[in-house]
């Protein structure tokens, strides 16, 4: 009985020892793998996979309200003075949205000859969408003289399109694209830190200068009611 207990105890001690040894070597190998520097290709894959999940988070949206005041008339030929009964007036306001961001699928990577420095090259942010909410349109005053045509819906649309272009220019002057670029920079910096990529590489984030933002074709697609 005692001999059987001793054999069982010895077996348990050996089993515990073997398990401990296996765990020790497993943890040692795991730490060794963690310390193993990432390859350039691995880094590209990690960053590319990460940004797929945060594309919408780096988009900047600017909501605005604008007032349109329109006033025109016809002039008496040769004298350039107001012709009575030809004046047209419109006073309205509306709400709109400007959306800007970066095409993250166009991010590229470059590595120096020694392999220790990596540049993440990001296209500069640009305006992705701009629209007026048709549900927000409010006409406060509209008038046409006895000799003037009423202001048509198409003319209102042209006035709103022109005002959207003005709002776009204001947003650019206020640095809306710089805010979007900064969002991208913070997102990439967070990925680099969280995944420990800066332990394997000296990482630099560079924004590629694409020149002026393209003009939008607002009259063709600038209204939205969703």
């Amino acid at each position: 009985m005692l001999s059987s207990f001793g054999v069982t105890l010895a077996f348990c001690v050996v089993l515990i020892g073997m398990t401990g040894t296996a765990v020790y070597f497993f943890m040692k190998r795991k730490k060794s793998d963690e310390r193993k520097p990432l390859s350039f290709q691995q880094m590209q894959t990690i960053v590319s996979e990460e940004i797929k999940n945060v594309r919408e988070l780096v988009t900047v949206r600017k909501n605005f309200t604008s007032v349109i005041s329109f006033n025109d008339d016809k002039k008496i030929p040769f004298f350039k003075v107001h012709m009575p009964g030809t004046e047209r007036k419109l006073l309205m306001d509306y709400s709109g949205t400007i959306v800007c961001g970066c095409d993250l699928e166009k991010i590229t990577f470059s590595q120096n000859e020694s392999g220790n420095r990596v540049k993440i090259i990001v296209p500069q942010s640009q305006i992705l969408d701009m629209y007026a909410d048709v549900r927000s349109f409010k006409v406060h005053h509209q008038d046409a003289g006895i000799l003037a045509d009423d202001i048509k819906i198409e003319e209102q649309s042209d006035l709103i399109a022109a005002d959207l272009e003005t709002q776009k220019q204001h947003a650019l002057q206020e640095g809306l694209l710089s805010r979007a670029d900064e969002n991208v920079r913070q997102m990439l910096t967070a990925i680099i830190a969280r995944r420990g990529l800066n332990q394997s590489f000296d990482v630099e984030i560079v924004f590629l200068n694409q020149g002026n933002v393209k003009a939008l074709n607002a009259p063709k697609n600038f209204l939205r009611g969703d």
Side-chain angles (χ1 to χ4, degrees):
M1 185 79 175
L2 184 60
S3 175
S4 176
F5 173 76
V7 171
T8 302
L9 179 61
F11 176 76
C12 290
V13 170
V14 172
L15 181 62
I16 292 171
M18 292 175 64
T19 302
T21 301
V23 170
Y24 169 77
F25 282 108
F26 172 78
M27 295 302 295
K28 184 176 181 180
R29 181 177 178 181
K30 182 179 180 182
K31 289 181 178 179
S32 176
D33 290 341
E34 289 176 350
R35 289 194 298 266
K36 186 178 179 181
L38 292 172
S39 69
F40 178 60
Q41 289 73 21
Q42 286 175 319
M43 179 189 181
Q44 290 184 83
T45 300
I46 290 172
V47 175
S48 299
E49 288 297 324
E50 287 274 359
I51 63 179
K52 286 181 181 178
N53 302 320
V54 294
R55 182 174 287 105
E56 185 65 21
L57 297 180
V58 297
T59 301
V60 174
R61 297 177 182 271
K62 174 181 172 62
N63 299 317
F64 64 89
T65 299
S66 185
V67 177
I68 296 176
S69 179
F70 171 74
N71 189 335
D72 81 339
D73 60 11
K74 293 182 179 179
K75 308 296 182 184
I76 297 176
F78 307 110
F79 295 99
K80 294 184 180 181
V81 295
H82 167 66
M83 180 183 296
T86 64
E87 189 172 34
R88 300 193 304 165
K89 295 180 180 180
L90 174 69
L91 179 65
M92 67 174 293
D93 62 48
Y94 73 97
S95 297
T97 301
I98 300 175
V99 182
C100 65
C102 170
D103 188 351
L104 298 179
E105 292 183 356
K106 293 183 178 179
I107 286 179
T108 58
F109 302 80
S110 68
Q111 187 180 29
N112 66 346
E113 292 183 0
S114 61
N116 63 333
R117 290 179 60 85
V118 170
K119 284 186 179 181
I120 301 178
I121 305 168
V122 187
Q124 282 191 326
S125 297
Q126 56 186 303
I127 293 179
L128 305 176
D129 197 5
M130 181 172 64
Y131 56 88
D133 184 354
V134 296
R135 297 171 300 182
S136 69
F137 292 1
K138 292 181 181 178
V139 176
H140 301 286
H141 178 72
Q142 183 172 348
D143 186 38
I146 191 170
L147 300 178
D149 295 328
D150 291 334
I151 298 175
K152 298 174 182 168
I153 296 297
E154 292 80 4
E155 292 179 280
Q156 289 187 22
S157 296
D158 289 341
L159 290 171
I160 294 170
D163 191 71
L164 279 171
E165 178 64 23
T166 299
Q167 295 300 323
K168 182 191 80 171
Q169 296 303 324
H170 288 167
L172 294 176
Q173 292 172 7
E174 292 170 358
L176 191 64
L177 297 186
S178 296
R179 285 172 49 195
D181 284 347
E182 184 58 29
N183 280 5
V184 175
R185 185 187 300 278
Q186 291 180 6
M187 178 270 293
L188 290 173
T189 301
I191 290 174
I192 292 166
R194 184 174 68 253
R195 299 300 297 267
L197 303 181
N198 49 356
Q199 297 178 7
S200 300
F201 302 98
D202 182 7
V203 183
E204 181 182 6
I205 301 171
V206 179
F207 284 86
L208 183 63
N209 187 358
Q210 294 179 322
N212 296 327
V213 177
K214 279 187 175 181
L216 299 181
N217 297 321
K220 293 181 180 179
N221 181 21
F222 69 96
L223 303 181
R224 184 171 300 178
D226 54 0

